[in-house]
Amino acid sequence: MSNKPSLAVVGATGAVGTVMLSILSERADVWGEIRLIASARSAGKKLKCRGEELTVVALSPEAFDGIDVAMFDVPDEVSAEWAPIAASRGAVVVDNSGAFRMDADVPLVVPEVNPEMVKQRPRGIISNPNCTTLSMIVAMGALHKTYGLKELVVSSYQAASGAGQSGIDALRAQMKQVAGTDAGDATGDLRKHVTDLGPFPAPLALNVVPWAGSLKADGYSSEELKVRNESRKILGLANLKVSATCVRVPVITTHSLTVHAVFEKEPSRKAAQDILANAAGVKLVDDPENYKFPTPADVVGTDPTWVGRVRKSIDDPMALDLFVCGDNLRKGAALNTAQIAELLAVEFTK
């Protein structure tokens, strides 16, 4: 009988769940039993984790019996129903959906920024931030500790995989439809070639779409409000000014953001670069003289938040401008969830 805590992966057969099993196989062995849970239609499937073939069991209250930590990678409505059930059976839930992120009794945790919050979980649930927020918040948290963050103005460049497997499938199909054509030369011709928009409101191949998420008040999208509200909660800055514009780009996986950050203390470019170069979970690639900076093609499949193009604002001595990239399926979802779970594993092994 292992004295290591037991772990459940809920949504093990989904896109993020698949990445999660890979991450669990790569990281330190802190778990005893690993139980894979999914919908009834996926029950009985066999998946590999840590070199062992595991059989998926159907989601049910009994599936959580004997589980110490349950990681949820499922849609909001599934988490909203089942996370409290898992908690009632004795599991601590780490939820990757948006169901509980802004609940005052549920901490929103990024281990490099606010790890102490995992202990403040009166509902037995811990939330994982949105992938767009996660693509920048580790870097911003590191700078905030030194300079005190006052304001963020960000534009995101979000990959198709942020819309799920349907987003990936749609972009790949659209790329085939426009390949070898002269699409993009004339107004409206792209829409003649692209026959299926998928989850996007406009063609994504050969295009950028200034929209991600669902419509909220005053013309904002849900993704833009998530960046604002989640950044405030993670950093503990209730009055942080945040302006976000979220844009979908024809990249399969890895979100990018431009960030204009205003601080209480005046930063210097060199000191900021040093902070970022030494920050946990951050990789600085910032050599513009030799055209070296992060791009999604270099970042996909990796764990850190990559940062480049660090500049002191010309017009505001209290501000920095920078560019960040993060794999939205790894640190943006599965990895951060696994890191939170590992903090909990320490509690169970004390």
Side-chain angles (χ1 to χ4, degrees), residues 98 100-104 106-110 114 127-130 132-134 136-137 149 152 154 214 216-217 220-246:
F100 303 98
R101 287 178 186 146
M102 300 316 296
D103 188 317
V106 175
L108 188 62
V109 174
V110 180
N114 60 343
S127 265
N128 193 54
N130 175 261
T132 313
T133 307
L134 270 169
M136 69 162 184
I137 204 66
L149 190 61
L152 286 172
V154 304
S214 57
K216 299 298 180 182
Y220 283 93
S221 78
S222 57
E223 287 285 305
E224 291 159 351
L225 296 181
K226 286 174 186 176
V227 172
R228 176 180 183 267
N229 297 333
E230 293 177 17
S231 296
R232 288 176 158 198
K233 186 171 180 179
I234 294 163
L235 297 171
L237 298 172
N239 296 316
L240 179 68
K241 294 181 180 179
V242 182
S243 176
T245 300
C246 291

Side-chain angles (χ1 to χ4, degrees), residues 20-282:
M20 178 64 73
L21 298 188
S22 174
I23 286 174
L24 288 172
S25 300
E26 298 165 4
R27 294 180 68 79
D29 185 6
V30 301
W31 302 107
E33 178 192 359
I34 295 180
R35 191 178 302 171
L36 308 186
I37 302 174
S39 64
R41 67 178 178 273
S42 296
K45 284 188 177 180
K46 296 186 182 298
L47 302 173
K48 276 198 170 181
C49 184
R50 292 193 176 280
E52 182 182 356
E53 193 172 70
L54 303 175
T55 301
V56 176
V57 301
L59 181 61
S60 69
E62 294 74 24
F64 297 102
D65 289 348
I67 292 297
D68 295 310
V69 179
M71 300 191 299
F72 274 62
D73 294 304
V74 294
D76 291 9
E77 63 274 13
V78 179
S79 281
E81 179 182 357
W82 285 95
I85 293 172
S88 73
R89 308 291 282 208
V92 179
V93 172
V94 185
D95 181 44
N96 191 40
S97 82
F100 303 98
R101 287 178 186 146
M102 300 316 296
D103 188 317
D105 290 328
V106 175
L108 188 62
V109 174
V110 180
E112 296 91 343
V113 180
N114 60 343
E116 70 285 351
M117 294 303 295
V118 297
K119 296 183 182 297
Q120 299 180 33
R121 50 176 196 268
R123 295 188 62 182
I125 301 171
I126 299 167
S127 265
N128 193 54
N130 175 261
C131 54
T132 313
T133 307
L134 270 169
S135 295
M136 69 162 184
I137 204 66
V138 176
M140 300 322 305
L143 293 171
H144 170 62
K145 288 177 183 176
T146 298
Y147 297 120
L149 190 61
K150 286 179 60 180
E151 183 175 354
L152 286 172
V153 180
V154 304
S155 289
S156 71
Y157 308 90
Q158 295 179 220
S161 58
Q165 188 61 46
S166 64
I168 297 173
D169 294 343
L171 176 56
R172 290 199 184 280
Q174 291 177 21
M175 290 166 65
K176 290 179 181 178
Q177 290 169 341
V178 301
T181 74
D182 58 1
D185 284 350
T187 302
D189 65 353
L190 191 58
R191 294 181 185 269
K192 297 176 183 177
H193 290 275
V194 174
T195 57
D196 184 359
L197 297 181
F200 311 116
L204 189 57
L206 302 181
N207 204 17
V208 298
V209 180
W211 189 261
S214 57
L215 179 63
K216 299 298 180 182
D218 300 319
Y220 283 93
S221 78
S222 57
E223 287 285 305
E224 291 159 351
L225 296 181
K226 286 174 186 176
V227 172
R228 176 180 183 267
N229 297 333
E230 293 177 17
S231 296
R232 288 176 158 198
K233 186 171 180 179
I234 294 163
L235 297 171
L237 298 172
N239 296 316
L240 179 68
K241 294 181 180 179
V242 182
S243 176
T245 300
C246 291
V247 180
R248 193 74 70 181
V249 296
V251 168
I252 298 296
T253 298
T254 293
H255 290 350
S256 306
L257 298 95
T258 57
V259 181
H260 177 80
V262 183
F263 300 95
E264 293 175 352
K265 298 177 183 177
E266 183 173 349
S268 77
R269 182 187 182 213
K270 178 62 170 61
Q273 288 172 319
D274 289 344
I275 290 168
L276 293 166
N278 292 292
V282 175

